[in-house]
Amino acid sequence: MNEKDLARINELARKSKSVGLTPQEKAEQARLRREYIASVRMNLRSQLDQIDIQEKDGTIVNLGEKYGHKTKH
């Protein structure tokens, strides 16, 4: 998600509060919000997959590998 899309999301939110949105703008807003949420989830998953935890026995376990969600981005 780029800065242009984020600015458009904010612009549509402000417009919906002031004068309302057309059906096309509502559809665009919903699409942009879905893309934003997908982007946030992907970034969060990527960060969580990079976390290493040291067990009591001293071994280091990568959470992404432990839970089977390790993906290369």
Side-chain angles (χ1 to χ4, degrees):
M1 173 122 318
N2 58 38
E3 293 295 322
K4 180 182 170 189
D5 291 339
L6 291 174
R8 182 65 178 154
I9 289 171
N10 291 329
E11 178 184 336
L12 289 170
R14 283 189 297 275
K15 185 176 179 186
S16 71
K17 290 178 183 178
S18 62
V19 295
L21 299 175
T22 66
Q24 295 85 5
E25 289 172 329
K26 286 181 183 180
E28 178 186 10
Q29 183 183 42
R31 179 186 57 80
L32 288 170
R33 284 180 173 172
R34 282 191 306 273
E35 289 176 10
Y36 177 75
I37 290 169
S39 174
V40 169
R41 285 181 178 159
M42 185 181 71
N43 289 335
L44 179 60
R45 170 56 57 198
S46 178
Q47 289 177 5
L48 291 174
D49 284 346
Q50 299 302 316
I51 294 175
D52 293 330
I53 294 181
Q54 186 172 2
E55 300 288 342
K56 290 180 182 179
D57 65 358
T59 60
I60 296 177
V61 178
N62 180 280
L63 289 182
E65 292 172 357
K66 182 177 180 180
Y67 294 103
H69 298 292
K70 187 76 173 177
T71 57
K72 301 287 182 190
H73 295 292

